[in-house]
């Protein structure tokens, strides 16, 4: 079994999925050289693997999220196929587990060491991959494998992340992009916050993470089918759209990001401290404090590459931001290209006049020249240092640089390490640099390190995004500094291995998080001391927080929680501590330029990641196996989110209608297609299995004619009609024109009425709710005894009450000739449920038998025993069927039901003596006409 694991985190090889072969249509011998028909048949029947389930289970405990993604796929093709599972995950998340099931084999992911040499290269690949993905704040995990014909595969991916508070909300985002409509799709999120849930909202689905400032996004409410149950400390959110609802959102299966935003209650000014099995976490987010004055310099790239939309959007955003400055703030503006252009050589206080003058200066900026990043940063830092030194307000204000560029350094100092060193030495930890990189050509690693080394943050704006809204959104996060120089202390005798406790700034709406280990698990109180500066004074907060001995209780959410390396129950706080510590080690490694120090940090980060099974730049994932699949999938891969195989059927009715019982029978992907069919120009074939005879005939209709194929409306309630489309005849042919079926319509009247209209491009199902399914996407839908299964660009299978099945083959041409048309073939796979009164061009023969009364060939009544003849026709005979005596001739005919050719007795002259009545008796007045002048059916209705 070939297995390829790809992580577009730059952690391993990324392997794309193999594109499926194009399906070609029916053609004749006059078309010249072409691929053999049996090969084309295989191409046609090769279908995209069907995703039968896509589910996400997420549990958030005290802001720490455990997420498991389950995906099941089915290879319905007649040959082995490549399949690919891919999932967007938050960039801040760590993958902790991956398991793959192929048939009855289990392949278990294992986190192992990554060779030291690949460390730097991994980071570069990670950034490169993020660029190519084009989704801010996400990475893509990919896994590829080969699945045998008619077999199943399942993928289970787990990851963890600590939710960050921004603009007063925690945001949990789940990518719902299965790439096709799924019979079972669900997102189930549990939130458990012991301090209480203060607010909770579910946003509309977003097709991108780039949401600008986040303003005005909740006006249309949660996505359809979302159900929210909530009490003071617990919330359960379920998103379970039917296939109908999925199709209304996006027929290609890319629904978008399912986003939950919430906040928690806060009572103590010292923050919230939680303890569990010897580990603690401290959440510090004070409120109701006066804002600190800002000293801010806006540094804007005005080089030639910023021409057009980028510069215009950036200017518009800065106009908005300038109006948002407070009277106690001071600011200046620098534009840079190959020259550094400073609006004022000192910081200006915020007044209506200074805001107006600043806007005029920004308006007149024009793009030209290169990019002197080092010079612009040096000038901005000097402006800030000069202002702080002359006004003696360093401990009562915050100095910020908001730096925006779309390129790499091309003028002045261009060496990355020198730019970083120069900036660090000039800022001396007193100036925080917030960077924004625009487009695909920006040196994002440089911007990332500039922010990391200078107490700032960085954001990425991709080429197609609105740079202005991104800039405003970024500014909103840092617009209100409340504290500076924050230090949080715990007694060394009580706490060890705490994460970072020094923070340069605290901005309103954010949160400071510290985690660590307690020396004494039986500790009753923990002394906490917070010191910081605000706009008025030096703040000192001291308190003893009760932390009595606590153990992990029963997980009320029923969600899997990975075990730490401690004893007892799974500990989410221990996982949170290991997550934060690993993140800080990775950040320190990225900032360090000292090789021995970098090696020490790398080893520490690697050891911790291995201990807690985190996939990081210093660890890799290898698949172990295969091992036989156990009875319990939970044993095989340790995830309770896994579910055994079930019927893949979804209600086709809307949420407002109570659906009927789902089909009870197991899903059978392989349906035998009988010879009884009509296909091509159109060529009819009728199989009589009792006498082992096959009869064929042609019907030369007119374009626009609607032919009655199966008429059983009065008994089984099923009617099938086909509409013809015309095309010119091939050169040198004996026909004046060709006709094909372009539309097959099926009316099902029992137990409830449903209408199906099938064309080569789409299936329209109307059973109360109208559902349009594209034929280039594989999907299965069904309810109340009706199942419709679409195999992408190959066929549509309609199953009625489990006893009637039709298969409609889709014939497509890559470059159709003048006499070729995309068309359909109709095959009867199961006719058990049709009555003895069934009629129609095909239906009239389903419960009949036939025999040869005069066979000049002699040896056998079955043409399958005749020798192959070179000519197109062979011996003649007389066929007796339904009381008719029909002259027939033996011939061979090729059809698309999996046989290269069939042998049949051919009835000439449009089957004039074979069928009941005349051609005109089989013409329907409209696609869903159920009337029939022959047989029992006489009614006409819609």
């Amino acid at each position: 079994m070939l297995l390829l694991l790809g992580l577009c985190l730059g952690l391993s090889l990324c392997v794309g999925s193999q594109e499926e072969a194009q399906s070609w249509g029916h053609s004749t011998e006059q078309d010249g050289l072409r691929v053999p028909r049996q090969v084309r048949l295989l191409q046609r029947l090769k279908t995209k693997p069907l995703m039968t389930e896509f589910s996400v289970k997420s549990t958030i405990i005290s802001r720490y999220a455990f997420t498991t993604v389950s995906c099941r796929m089915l290879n319905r093709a007649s040959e082995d196929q490549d399949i690919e599972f891919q999932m967007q995950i938050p960039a801040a998340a760590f993958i902790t587990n991956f398991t793959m099931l192929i048939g009855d084999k289990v392949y278990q992911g294992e986190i192992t060491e990554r060779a030291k040499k690949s460390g730097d290269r991994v980071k570069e690949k990670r950034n490169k991959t993020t660029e190519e993905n084009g989704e801010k704040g996400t990475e893509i995990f990919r896994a590829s494998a080969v699945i045998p014909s008619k077999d199943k595969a399942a993928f289970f991916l787990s990851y963890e992340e600590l939710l960050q508070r921004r603009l007063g909300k925690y945001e949990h985002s789940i990518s719902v992009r299965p790439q096709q409509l799924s019979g079972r799709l669900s997102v189930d999120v549990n939130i458990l916050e012991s301090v209480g849930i203060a607010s909770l909202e579910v946003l509309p689905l977003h097709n991108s993470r780039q949401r600008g400032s986040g303003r005005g996004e909740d006006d249309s409410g949660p996505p359809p089918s979302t159900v929210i149950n909530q009490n003071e400390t617990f919330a359960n959110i379920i998103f379970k759209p039917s296939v109908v609802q999925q199709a209304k959102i996006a027929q290609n299966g890319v629904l978008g990001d399912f986003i939950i935003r919430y906040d928690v209650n806060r009572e103590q000014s010292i923050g919230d401290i939680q303890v569990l099995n010897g580990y603690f976490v401290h959440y510090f987010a004070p409120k109701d404090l006066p804002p600190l004055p800002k000293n801010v310099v806006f540094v804007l790239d005005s080089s030639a590459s910023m021409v057009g939309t980028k510069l215009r959007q950036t200017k518009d955003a800065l106009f908005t931001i300038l109006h948002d400055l407070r009277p106690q703030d001071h600011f200046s503006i620098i534009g840079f290209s190959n020259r550094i252009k400073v609006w004022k050589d000192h910081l200006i206080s915020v007044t209506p006049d200074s805001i107006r003058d600043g806007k005029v200066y920004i308006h007149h900026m024009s793009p030209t020249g290169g990019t002197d990043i080092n010079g612009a940063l040096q000038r901005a830092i000097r402006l800030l240092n000069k202002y702080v030194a002359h006004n003696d307000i360093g401990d009562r204000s915050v100095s910020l640089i908001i730096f925006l560029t779309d390129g790499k350094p091309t003028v002045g100092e261009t060496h990355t390490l020198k730019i970083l060193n120069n900036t660090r030495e000039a800022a001396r930890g007193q100036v925080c640099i917030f960077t924004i990189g625009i487009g695909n050509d920006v040196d994002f690693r440089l911007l990332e390190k500039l922010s990391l080394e200078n107490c700032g943050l960085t954001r990425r704006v991709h080429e197609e995004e609105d740079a202005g809204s991104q800039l405003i959104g970024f500014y909103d996060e840092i617009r209100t500094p409340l504290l500076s120089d924050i230090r949080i202390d715990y007694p060394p005798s009580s706490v060890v291995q705490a994460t970072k406790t020094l923070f340069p700034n605290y901005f309103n709406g954010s949160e400071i998080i510290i985690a660590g280990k307690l020396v004494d698990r039986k500790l009753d109180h923990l002394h906490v001391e917070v010191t910081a500066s605000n706009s008025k004074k030096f703040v000192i907060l001291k308190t003893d927080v009760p932390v009595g001995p606590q153990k992990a209780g029963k997980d009320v959410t029923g969600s899997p929680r990975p075990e730490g390396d401690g004893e007892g129950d799974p500990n989410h706080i221990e996982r949170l501590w290991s997550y934060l510590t690993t993140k800080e080690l990775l950040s320190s490694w990225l900032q360090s330029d000292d090789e021995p120090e970098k090696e020490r940090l790398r080893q520490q980060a690697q050891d911790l990641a291995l201990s807690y099974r985190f996939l990081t730049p210093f660890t890799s994932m290898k698949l172990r196996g295969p091992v036989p699949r156990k009875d319990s999938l939970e044993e095989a891969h340790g995830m309770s989110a896994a579910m055994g195989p079930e019927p893949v059927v979804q209600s086709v009715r809307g949420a407002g209608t109570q659906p009927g019982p789902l089909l009870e029978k197991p899903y059978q992907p392989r349906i035998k297609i009988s010879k009884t069919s009509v296909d091509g120009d159109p060529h009819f074939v009728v199989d009589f299995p009792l006498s082992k005879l096959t009869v064929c005939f042609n019907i030369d209709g007119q374009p626009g004619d609607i032919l009655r194929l199966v008429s059983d409306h009065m008994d089984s309630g099923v009617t099938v009609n086909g509409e013809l489309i015309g095309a010119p005849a091939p050169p040198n042919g004996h026909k004046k024109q060709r006709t094909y079926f372009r539309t097959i319509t099926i009316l099902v009247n029992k137990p409830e009425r449903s209408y199906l209209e099938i064309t080569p491009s789409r299936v329209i199902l109307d059973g109360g709710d109208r559902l349009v399914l594209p034929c280039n996407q594989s999907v299965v839908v069904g309810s109340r005894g009706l199942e419709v299964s679409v195999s992408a660009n190959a066929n549509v299978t309609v199953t009625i009450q489990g006893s009637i099945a039709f298969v409609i083959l889709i014939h497509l041409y890559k470059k159709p000739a003048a006499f070729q048309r995309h068309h359909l073939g109709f095959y009867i796979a199961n006719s058990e449920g049709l009555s003895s009164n069934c009629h129609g061009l095909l239906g009239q023969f389903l419960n009949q038998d036939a025999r040869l009364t005069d066979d000049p060939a002699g040896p056998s009544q079955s043409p399958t025993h005749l020798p192959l003849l070179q000519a197109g026709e062979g011996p003649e005979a007389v066929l007796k069927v339904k009381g008719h005596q029909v002259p027939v001739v033996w011939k061979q005919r090729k059809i698309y039901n999996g046989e290269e050719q069939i042998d049949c007795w051919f009835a000439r002259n449009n089957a004039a003596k074979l069928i009941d009545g005349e051609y005109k008796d089989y013409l329907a007045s409209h696609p869903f006409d159920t009337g029939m002048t022959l047989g029992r059916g006489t009614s006409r209705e819609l």
Side-chain angles (χ1 to χ4, degrees), residues 246-321:
Q246 294 174 48
K248 288 180 179 178
I249 298 169
Q251 293 191 357
N252 62 0
V254 181
L255 275 64
D257 296 316
F258 185 78
I259 301 168
I260 298 170
R261 285 182 181 162
Y262 76 97
D263 200 15
V264 299
N265 295 321
R266 290 178 175 80
E267 296 180 359
Q268 297 189 57
S269 59
I270 200 71
D272 172 32
I273 296 179
Q274 300 181 22
V275 175
L276 188 62
N277 287 343
Y279 289 83
F280 80 93
V281 60
H282 183 186
Y283 300 100
F284 181 64
K287 56 184 180 179
D288 301 326
L289 295 172
L292 281 166
K294 295 191 298 290
N295 315 313
V296 56
V297 178
F298 299 97
V299 183
L300 174 63
D301 186 345
S302 60
S303 61
S305 59
M306 287 287 289
V307 68
T309 303
K310 285 187 286 190
L311 187 59
R312 176 181 55 77
Q313 290 176 346
T314 302
K315 287 181 177 181
D316 291 343
L318 283 175
F319 294 159
T320 301
I321 291 171

Side-chain angles (χ1 to χ4, degrees), residues 19 160-161 201 261 310 382 385 461 589 598 606 631 737:
E19 294 185 1
E160 299 174 15
E161 64 172 321
E201 61 178 336
R261 285 182 181 162
K310 285 187 286 190
R382 284 200 298 270
N385 287 339
V461 180
W589 175 85
K598 285 180 77 74
Q606 184 183 75
D631 291 337
Q737 69 173 358

Side-chain angles (χ1 to χ4, degrees), residues 243-244 650-653 746-748 752-758 762-774 779-783 786-790 796 798 928:
V243 176
V244 176
Q650 177 60 268
S651 169
V652 299
R653 300 191 177 275
I746 302 174
L747 172 63
V748 181
E752 291 188 359
R753 180 166 296 193
S754 296
Y755 299 88
L756 270 168
E757 179 181 304
I758 302 166
R762 68 182 185 179
V763 177
I764 300 176
L765 172 58
D766 194 340
D769 284 325
R770 181 180 172 89
L771 173 63
V772 180
L773 304 174
V779 67
V780 180
V781 298
S783 180
L786 174 65
E787 178 185 309
V788 179
S789 172
V790 181
V796 178
V798 179
F928 293 101

Side-chain angles (χ1 to χ4, degrees), residues 28-32 728-738 819:
T28 64
E29 286 74 5
Q30 289 89 347
D31 296 342
N732 304 318
H734 65 281
K735 291 186 176 183
K736 294 183 179 180
Q737 69 173 358
R738 283 182 162 187
F819 50 85

Side-chain angles (χ1 to χ4, degrees), residues 567-733:
E567 299 177 356
D569 294 330
N571 188 340
H572 67 277
I573 296 181
E574 179 181 356
R575 301 290 298 179
L576 187 156
W577 167 83
S578 62
Y579 173 96
L580 266 183
T581 304
T582 303
K583 285 288 185 183
E584 290 181 2
L585 288 170
L586 292 173
S587 178
S588 298
W589 175 85
L590 183 62
Q591 295 179 53
S592 177
D593 294 323
D594 180 70
E595 286 305 319
E597 176 71 7
K598 285 180 77 74
E599 172 57 23
R600 182 184 66 81
L601 292 168
R602 186 196 70 83
Q603 191 62 52
Q604 288 181 349
Q606 184 183 75
D607 291 346
L608 193 61
L610 288 172
S611 177
Y612 287 90
R613 303 191 306 274
F614 290 149
L615 187 57
T616 71
F618 303 134
T619 54
S620 61
M621 178 176 285
K622 296 180 180 178
L623 284 179
R624 304 296 185 189
V627 297
R629 179 173 174 176
K630 302 181 181 181
D631 291 337
S632 170
L633 285 178
E634 287 83 353
E635 291 182 37
H637 52 72
M639 295 182 204
S640 63
M643 291 178 285
E646 297 177 19
V648 185
V649 183
Q650 177 60 268
S651 169
V652 299
R653 300 191 177 275
T657 305
Q658 291 296 325
L662 296 180
L663 297 177
E664 298 292 336
K665 64 182 182 66
Y667 178 68
Q668 298 292 339
R670 180 181 294 186
I671 295 180
K672 178 176 175 58
I673 305 176
S674 75
K675 297 177 184 178
T676 302
S677 61
V678 55
D679 207 341
D681 189 14
H683 302 320
F684 287 77
V685 176
V686 178
D687 190 37
F688 296 97
L690 292 179
S691 56
K692 298 183 179 179
L693 286 176
T694 301
V695 178
C696 49
F697 59 93
N698 295 343
I699 293 291
D700 294 327
Q702 296 298 315
D705 284 356
I706 301 173
L707 304 186
R708 306 180 191 278
L709 303 179
V710 177
S711 297
D712 198 27
H713 179 71
M714 300 299 292
D715 292 286
S716 67
V718 175
T719 301
V720 182
N721 297 329
E723 182 176 357
L724 295 175
I725 186 176
N732 304 318

Side-chain angles (χ1 to χ4, degrees), residues 178-198:
Q179 309 299 317
Q180 58 178 280
L181 301 178
S182 177
R184 293 201 305 268
L185 187 149
S186 65
V187 177
D188 189 346
V189 180
N190 292 310
I191 303 173
L192 180 61
E193 294 288 351
S194 60
V195 294
I197 299 172

